[in-house]
Amino acid sequence: MRDVTYPPIIVTAKAAFRVLGQRFRMTGTEHVPREGGVLLAYNHIGYVDFIYGGLAANPSGRLVRFMAKRELFDHRWVGPLMRSLHHIEVDRGEGIASFHTAVDFLRQGEAVGIFPEATISRAMELKEFKTGAVRLAAEAGVPLVPVILWGTQRMMTKDHPRDFSRGKTIAITVGEPMHPTGDDPVGDTARLHAQMSQMLRDTVASYPADEQPPGAWWVPASMGGTAPTLEEAARLDAEEKRERARKRAEKRARKTKR
């Protein structure tokens, strides 16, 4: 795959990280193979996860092609950029096309990134996983590498103002790969969820204490923070979904009246 845009984007991003005075704690990056298809599964806690998630594969010299919602590709400015980076468009109503595209990429030896939760977790801990990640890895015959991001939510996430102040630590933890066979996608998904849950707890526990005071809003309630519980977050997600549906209905109604 010919990459004209990706390398300068990485250089620019790293320059921005230095300007922001960000510190990185990266562990387990050796689990990302240097060649051949690989699927990286990430937790999802903030809007900038795509930017920082690729760093997990950077030490191995890999460029990650993220599976991302169609709305990003429909954007006037973001869409052309996403396509130039060879990311994969996901239409949640017609997911089979993106599934096959991702399988093709993986079989061609690409590194593909996926968020098994599909949407940002307001609880800052893992929501229920879709089975797509293990099914993709099994279909393509590639390893599935779990990745935990922490600290990205402090910059830009749901229900909180943006904060790009200097000096934040970004933690990236890469776990040992799984090798799903496709025989038990539900069981494999449960094992992936359990592995990543433990990785998340370990990552939160090792995060600098001076940046993560007791009761911090970006820490899960189950780990001493004040983020919504999974149950509260599910309620907020449902309310958000209903509000979006209402706005779409109003928009369609206005078009009909014209």
Side-chain angles (χ1 to χ4, degrees):
M1 219 171 260
R2 186 166 178 263
D3 283 291
V4 175
T5 309
Y6 221 140
I9 287 290
I10 292 174
V11 171
T12 302
K14 288 183 175 180
F17 301 156
R18 288 193 294 271
V19 170
L20 291 171
Q22 293 178 343
R23 297 175 291 273
F24 289 86
R25 289 191 171 190
M26 300 175 60
T27 60
T29 55
E30 69 277 4
H31 293 308
V32 180
R34 291 186 172 274
E35 58 184 23
V38 59
L39 182 65
L40 292 91
Y42 297 82
N43 66 319
H44 203 3
I45 51 176
Y47 291 112
V48 294
D49 290 343
F50 291 98
I51 298 172
Y52 290 85
L55 293 176
N58 195 241
S60 296
R62 309 299 300 271
L63 301 176
V64 182
R65 319 298 179 176
F66 282 98
M67 301 184 72
K69 61 184 180 181
R70 186 188 64 187
E71 289 82 355
L72 291 173
F73 290 82
D74 290 340
H75 191 277
R76 181 180 180 183
W77 304 113
V78 178
L81 176 61
M82 296 291 283
R83 294 184 185 90
S84 72
L85 299 174
H86 304 294
H87 292 319
I88 301 170
E89 179 179 349
V90 176
D91 184 338
R92 291 171 182 165
E94 298 289 340
I96 191 65
S98 57
F99 182 91
H100 288 310
T101 300
V103 169
D104 288 343
F105 275 36
L106 291 166
R107 287 176 174 169
Q108 292 169 27
E110 294 291 335
V112 174
I114 188 171
F115 295 93
E117 298 165 279
T119 56
I120 290 173
S121 172
R122 286 180 159 97
M124 305 302 165
E125 55 185 312
L126 301 182
K127 299 164 62 173
E128 181 181 351
F129 278 9
K130 310 296 183 183
T131 59
V134 298
R135 291 190 293 108
L136 268 175
E139 181 70 19
V142 301
L144 174 57
V145 177
V147 183
I148 290 294
L149 304 172
W150 194 249
T152 58
Q153 76 275 38
R154 297 175 60 194
M155 287 177 280
M156 191 175 177
T157 193
K158 289 186 176 182
D159 307 326
H160 294 278
R162 300 177 184 182
D163 180 7
F164 289 93
S165 56
R166 289 176 50 82
K168 292 180 176 62
T169 294
I170 306 298
I172 302 175
T173 304
V174 184
E176 295 184 3
M178 292 178 57
H179 298 275
T181 63
D183 295 332
D184 184 13
V186 174
D188 284 340
T189 298
R191 285 184 282 276
L192 175 65
H193 192 284
Q195 181 180 359
M196 291 181 66
S197 291
Q198 184 59 55
M199 290 168 57
L200 176 61
R201 287 191 291 271
D202 293 342
T203 303
V204 173
S206 64
Y207 197 75
D210 60 338
E211 292 186 52
Q212 192 164 264
W217 64 260
W218 58 84
V219 178
S222 64
M223 302 179 201
T226 55
T229 63
L230 283 168
E231 293 74 20
E232 291 168 341
R235 177 180 57 79
L236 292 170
D237 288 346
E239 290 177 357
E240 179 183 41
K241 188 175 182 179
R242 286 193 295 270
E243 180 63 16
R244 286 181 176 177
R246 184 188 65 79
K247 289 181 178 179
R248 285 195 297 268
E250 289 181 350
K251 186 176 181 180
R252 286 194 296 268
R254 287 196 297 271
K255 286 184 177 180
T256 303
K257 291 179 180 180
R258 290 176 184 174

